[in-house]
Amino acid sequence: DGGITQSPKYLFRKEGQNVTLSCEQNLNHDAMYWYRQDPGQGLRLIYYSQIVNDFQKGDIAEGYSVSREKKESFPLTVTSAQKNPTAFYLCASSEMGQRPLGTEAFFGQGTRLTVV
Amino acid sequence: SQQGEEDPQALSIQEGENATMNCSYKTSINNLQWYRQNSGRGLVHLILIRSNEREKHSGRLRVTLDTSKKSSSLLITASRAADTASYFCATGSYSTLTFGKGTMLLVSP
């Protein structure tokens, strides 16, 4: 089945630890995205990537890092510099970016990160 | 920065009624998309309307786009209890999708 897979579904992090969230897609999509969702805040863009070995910061990139070494993988690391990391993290992919006409995004099922 | 803003924030209706949600945005766009999210799950794409289109239909969904007013509406006709979810509009511009805060729809049997 084609799709986008996030793991783990639930993740617990101690204060001061870095953690990495996995996102894999087998849709052969060029573009991949990471969003953060807090209650009542909607989705906010952390990072996005249009092509392998290239990525750009979104609106709330501070305290996060990403890599795009393979087309199908876009892992997100939540570093200890992120002061309030407890949230629901969503990864998405689309066939191409939103220019010129735009394409739909496919989302994973999310990872809920909690700091303990 | 959040581009789209949905209205109302919450909507409660009975099965069989129609549900209308609105989205306003601020800057020029290439397209506008609507997504649905069930509690604690990922988002599912519903419909995409391009900036040169005014109306689009998909099953029980009808989307309109008014670029002069920078607004869009999503109409769900003959709603069902299974339509209960949060609905988000997302604007596509340049390379990314920017989401609003969503409308929570509750459909009671």
Side-chain angles (χ1 to χ4, degrees), chain A residues 35 41 98-99 101-102 105, chain B residues 2 30 35 37 50 94 97:
Chain A
Y35 290 92
Q41 292 293 318
Q98 296 305 312
R99 297 179 82 179
L101 297 177
Chain B
Q2 230 128 13
N30 293 326
Y35 288 80
Q37 184 183 36
R50 298 209 158 90
Y94 300 102
L97 274 176

Side-chain angles (χ1 to χ4, degrees), chain A residues 87-108:
Chain A
F88 189 50
Y89 291 87
L90 287 159
C91 179
S93 71
S94 64
E95 191 171 343
M96 62 186 79
Q98 296 305 312
R99 297 179 82 179
L101 297 177
T103 54
E104 66 181 280
F106 291 78
F107 280 80

Side-chain angles (χ1 to χ4, degrees), chain A residues 26-44:
Chain A
N26 60 4
L27 300 166
N28 200 33
H29 285 172
D30 286 318
M32 296 188 75
Y33 315 81
W34 274 106
Y35 290 92
R36 169 180 171 142
Q37 187 176 30
D38 295 281
Q41 292 293 318
L43 277 70
R44 292 183 290 170

